[in-house]
Amino acid sequence: MSRSVADRPEAGAPAFPVLGAISFSHFLNDMMQSLLPAIYPLLKGGFDLDFGQIGLLSLAYQITASLLQPLVGLYTDRRPQPFSLVVGMGSTLCGLLGLAFAPSYPALLAAAMLLGVGSSIFHPESSRIARIASGGAHGLAQSLFQVGGNFGSSLGPLLAAFFILPRGQSSLAWFALVALGGICVVTPLGHWIRNNGHARSRSGAATRASVGLSPAQRRRTLAVLIALMFSKFVYLAGLSNYYVFYLMSRFDTSPQDSQIYLFVFLATSAGGTVIGGAMGDRLGRKRVIWGSILGVLPFTLALPYVGLPATVGLSAVIGFMLSSAFPAILVYAQELTPNRIGAVSGLFFGFAFGMSGLGAAALGALADRTSIEFVYQICSFLPLIGLLAIFLPAGDAKPRNDRA
């Protein structure tokens, strides 16, 4: 019986055309997904929402994605679905149309959940495809895959500022055409997976232990990685969801200028994603994880107390450093359980979405009770959780027959 690609050594050069296509589809997917938080100021005014309702809207989107992603990944590990990305793009398309024409807050919640379903289907399978096409350079492949999503996310504020805000909520419907374009991109990827033997069932495949770690050690290591993810994504939830409101409240910036500053933060975050995966391949993933999360602490502590130019500059540094951690964390986790690539990818992407949603809801409620400035002061201490990286195994979790 032919083995799944997750169970045999990757050899040769990375399949860059496939990596380029999956990165571009990630760009399109996350660009569409990012439109929801980017239009929060529009929805807040149009539906007379408070920060708590904004947080619940984000929670509806993020929790839908986080709960489903591990289940989708586990299912596709056992029964690969080469055209599941098409289904995910279709759900995102429906979510965008729902947001464009929602007449009430409950309708907004339903549309946000459709976006979450689309994301939950897209990320586990697309991350698995990136690993299949990596040629063994797993960190590089995950960086190329994730940078597409980060650049797509960074465009959301600009699209909101220059296209959606001037034209109103219904202009979101035009982005259904982007979803159709995404379907055209991911359909050939489904054919590539099927035609190259990567869509076969994993039943009967040999299970490969990882790096000599016991099951208890693997569980402890995964728990540390999840704690580090909590630190990273709750802090980033505060920036990505409330940065516009923070700038408008503290510095009296206009909505358009605030969206541009948010774009700067998101674009530098995309750059950090590229660097993090490649550095993890060369220097070791533990070093990148340690430096990215704990190393950002001086900048987060300073952010709530500086002026506007320094705030924009520090947020760019913070976004760059924190984002460099995720490719290293994800590949580290995949190499702990190399026979469960989809499930692990879904777990970590899902946890990222879930923590972002819970963080957004909790921080929104806290902002209503105190102030948005106080929220940023509290969040500045989250990178201290990076101290837990000391409990990661000394060596990277790399299968012996994988390329470093």
Side-chain angles (χ1 to χ4, degrees):
M1 179 179 294
S2 176
R3 292 182 298 167
S4 164
V5 73
D7 295 313
R8 57 178 184 256
E10 298 90 343
F16 285 110
V18 175
L19 290 175
I22 200 66
S23 181
F24 182 62
S25 66
H26 199 190
F27 167 83
L28 296 178
N29 179 80
D30 283 22
M31 181 189 73
M32 293 182 290
Q33 303 280 336
S34 72
L35 294 176
L36 176 60
I39 63 169
Y40 282 164
L42 178 67
L43 299 179
K44 189 176 189 297
F47 290 86
D48 194 25
L49 307 179
D50 58 29
F51 282 122
Q53 288 175 305
I54 292 291
L56 286 175
L57 188 60
S58 182
L59 181 64
Y61 162 65
Q62 307 273 18
I63 288 295
T64 305
S66 69
L67 290 178
L68 291 179
Q69 283 200 47
L71 299 177
V72 171
L74 183 63
Y75 181 81
T76 56
D77 276 338
R78 296 174 176 175
R79 294 182 176 83
Q81 304 293 319
F83 296 101
S84 61
L85 298 183
V86 176
V87 178
M89 285 286 183
S91 181
T92 297
L93 186 154
C94 294
L96 287 173
L97 291 177
L99 286 174
F101 301 111
S104 63
Y105 182 68
L108 287 177
L109 291 173
M113 292 176 70
L114 280 173
L115 285 181
V117 170
S119 181
S120 72
I121 296 173
F122 179 85
H123 284 102
E125 181 66 9
S126 56
S127 182
R128 188 172 75 94
I129 292 173
R131 188 174 178 91
I132 289 171
S134 70
H138 301 142
L140 175 63
Q142 285 298 324
S143 285
L144 292 176
F145 163 63
Q146 290 178 31
V147 75
N150 282 4
F151 274 121
S153 296
S154 72
L155 281 182
L158 292 184
L159 293 170
F162 297 110
F163 185 85
I164 299 173
L165 292 181
R167 293 170 176 80
Q169 179 184 347
S170 62
S171 62
L172 275 168
W174 287 102
F175 292 93
L177 297 175
V178 177
L180 289 175
I183 290 173
C184 294
V185 173
V186 299
T187 300
L189 289 174
H191 288 291
W192 181 80
I193 288 291
R194 186 181 62 185
N195 295 340
N196 286 277
H198 302 307
R200 299 180 182 181
S201 172
R202 300 191 71 262
S203 58
T207 299
R208 181 157 51 97
S210 64
V211 289
L213 297 179
S214 68
Q217 288 174 314
R218 289 199 296 272
R219 287 193 294 270
R220 285 196 298 267
T221 302
L222 286 173
V224 170
L225 294 175
I226 288 173
L228 296 174
M229 292 269 289
F230 171 85
S231 167
K232 165 184 161 58
F233 281 101
V234 172
Y235 186 89
L236 290 180
L239 278 179
S240 59
N241 287 281
Y242 301 112
Y243 191 49
V244 169
F245 299 113
Y246 175 76
L247 295 175
M248 292 169 62
S249 172
R250 182 150 188 237
F251 302 110
D252 198 28
T253 58
S254 68
Q256 287 77 11
D257 287 343
S258 299
Q259 295 284 5
I260 293 172
Y261 296 141
L262 178 58
F263 166 75
V264 172
F265 159 71
L266 294 173
T268 53
S269 298
T273 301
V274 176
I275 298 298
M279 288 183 65
D281 283 338
R282 290 180 173 271
L283 303 178
R285 315 207 195 284
K286 180 177 178 178
R287 292 180 181 176
V288 173
I289 293 168
W290 179 273
S292 298
I293 296 181
L294 187 61
V296 81
L297 181 63
F299 305 104
T300 62
L301 290 175
L303 181 68
Y305 307 103
V306 298
L308 178 60
T311 295
V312 175
L314 285 175
S315 67
V317 173
I318 291 167
F320 183 90
M321 293 185 67
L322 282 179
S323 295
S324 68
F326 189 49
I329 290 173
L330 180 59
V331 175
Y332 199 113
Q334 289 176 338
E335 290 169 350
L336 285 170
T337 55
N339 57 312
R340 291 288 184 267
I341 298 301
V344 169
S345 299
L347 172 65
F348 275 76
F349 276 109
F351 188 82
F353 276 75
M355 283 300 97
S356 296
L358 289 172
L363 295 177
L366 182 61
D368 283 332
R369 290 179 176 271
T370 57
S371 69
I372 197 68
E373 290 85 358
F374 180 75
V375 166
Y376 274 62
Q377 292 169 6
I378 293 296
C379 287
S380 67
F381 292 94
L382 282 170
L384 276 172
I385 297 176
L387 288 169
L388 291 175
I390 197 172
F391 295 109
L392 294 175
D396 279 356
K398 294 179 182 178
R400 294 181 193 75
N401 55 4
D402 280 356
R403 202 169 71 195

